[in-house]
Amino acid sequence: MKNEKIEQFKLSLKAAFPHTLPVLTGFLVLGMAYGVLMQTKGYSAIWAVLMSAIAFCGSMQFVAITLLTTAFDPFQAFFLSLMVNARHIFYGLAMLDKYKGLGKVRNFLIYTLCDETFSITSSVNPPENCDLKSFYFCISFLDYIYWIGGTLLGSILGTFIAFNTAGLDFALTALFVVLFIEQIRIKENRIAGCIGLGCTLLSLFLFGGNNLVIPAMGFILTLLLVRRKIICH
């Protein structure tokens, strides 16, 4: 029985790895950028790696660098975290069915769910010979390790090489753009993509660039729920 589980895990790992290759390249670059930025702010490799392993919220980690290097404001930290990570509400709703009935591993899948992992798991189905639980676990685990590994490499690199880091944090924004393009290339995702883009532009017009995130999320959630209700009926 034990050998059977090990073989099933190997099959799942082999099937999941090719789907995570784009994340591997992206996370190595982004993780290294984060590690270098942390190093330039006076935080050693151990703190950068712990931040990536425990927080594991790439975009908020970049924002947190500023919070860590300025006077601490609990309300500001909470509000920024809410704005930056509000999109996870959508991930949670979208993955309810896929992660249903997966047992204890479900907690790990929820903890490590990020933009890139969501992009893969929402659009890829495991091969027939793969266990569903192992396949999703391997995708989440690999992406998690990529991010931590990239952070470690960046932190080590930052101790030996000094260079201008201006604009380095834009790498994360660039990755989001790539993920969006990859998603709307799939015909079934184009309506949702247009809804997201339209609601964001509307929120930008109504509330301005500094306050658009939460209203945009609210608009998107409302329209997606309305759309789902119409489809179900």
Side-chain angles (χ1 to χ4, degrees):
M1 187 69 179
K2 187 177 180 180
N3 291 335
E4 193 176 310
K5 287 184 177 180
I6 293 174
E7 288 301 316
Q8 185 57 244
F9 179 79
K10 288 180 179 178
L11 283 172
S12 299
L13 186 62
K14 187 177 180 181
F17 178 68
H19 296 294
T20 65
L21 280 175
V23 181
L24 170 61
T25 56
F27 271 16
L28 282 180
V29 173
L30 288 171
M32 287 176 67
Y34 175 72
V36 169
L37 287 172
M38 284 287 281
Q39 190 66 232
T40 60
K41 298 300 181 181
Y43 291 93
S44 64
I46 188 169
W47 292 111
V49 170
L50 281 173
M51 188 74 167
S52 288
I54 297 171
F56 191 60
C57 50
S59 49
M60 187 57 208
Q61 286 181 230
F62 278 91
V63 175
I65 294 175
T66 303
L67 296 177
L68 290 170
T69 53
T70 56
F72 181 63
D73 183 340
F75 177 77
Q76 182 189 30
F78 172 78
F79 188 67
L80 279 173
S81 299
L82 180 63
M83 286 200 303
V84 173
N85 294 314
R87 65 190 187 281
H88 287 269
I89 296 173
F90 301 96
Y91 299 165
L93 291 172
M95 300 306 293
L96 282 175
D97 292 334
K98 286 211 170 190
Y99 285 175
K100 188 177 181 180
L102 295 185
K104 292 181 179 179
V105 75
R106 186 168 176 261
N107 296 327
F108 177 78
L109 298 179
I110 293 170
Y111 178 69
T112 55
L113 187 60
C114 60
D115 304 272
E116 295 74 17
T117 301
F118 171 76
S119 183
I120 297 172
T121 53
S122 64
S123 57
V124 173
N125 292 315
E128 293 183 2
N129 61 336
C130 283
D131 175 60
L132 188 70
K133 184 193 297 185
S134 298
F135 182 75
Y136 287 148
F137 173 81
C138 288
I139 290 174
S140 297
F141 180 73
L142 286 171
D143 290 350
Y144 181 64
I145 293 300
Y146 297 157
W147 179 250
I148 295 173
T151 300
L152 178 61
L153 287 174
S155 297
I156 294 172
L157 182 67
T159 60
F160 297 104
I161 303 175
F163 56 93
N164 188 356
T165 59
L168 196 60
D169 51 353
F170 185 76
L172 190 66
T173 304
L175 180 60
F176 284 146
V177 173
V178 172
L179 288 173
F180 177 74
I181 293 172
E182 286 298 314
Q183 283 293 313
I184 62 172
R185 287 177 63 184
I186 302 171
K187 187 176 180 180
E188 292 78 9
N189 294 340
R190 288 174 188 168
I191 295 177
C194 289
I195 288 173
L197 188 59
C199 289
T200 303
L201 291 173
L202 176 63
S203 183
L204 176 62
F205 176 75
L206 294 176
F207 302 99
N210 294 327
N211 302 298
L212 70 88
V213 177
I214 294 180
M217 292 294 181
F219 292 151
I220 293 170
L221 179 60
T222 301
L223 286 179
L224 288 178
L225 289 174
V226 169
R227 180 171 175 259
R228 181 174 181 179
K229 189 173 182 180
I230 291 172
I231 293 173
C232 291
H233 280 75

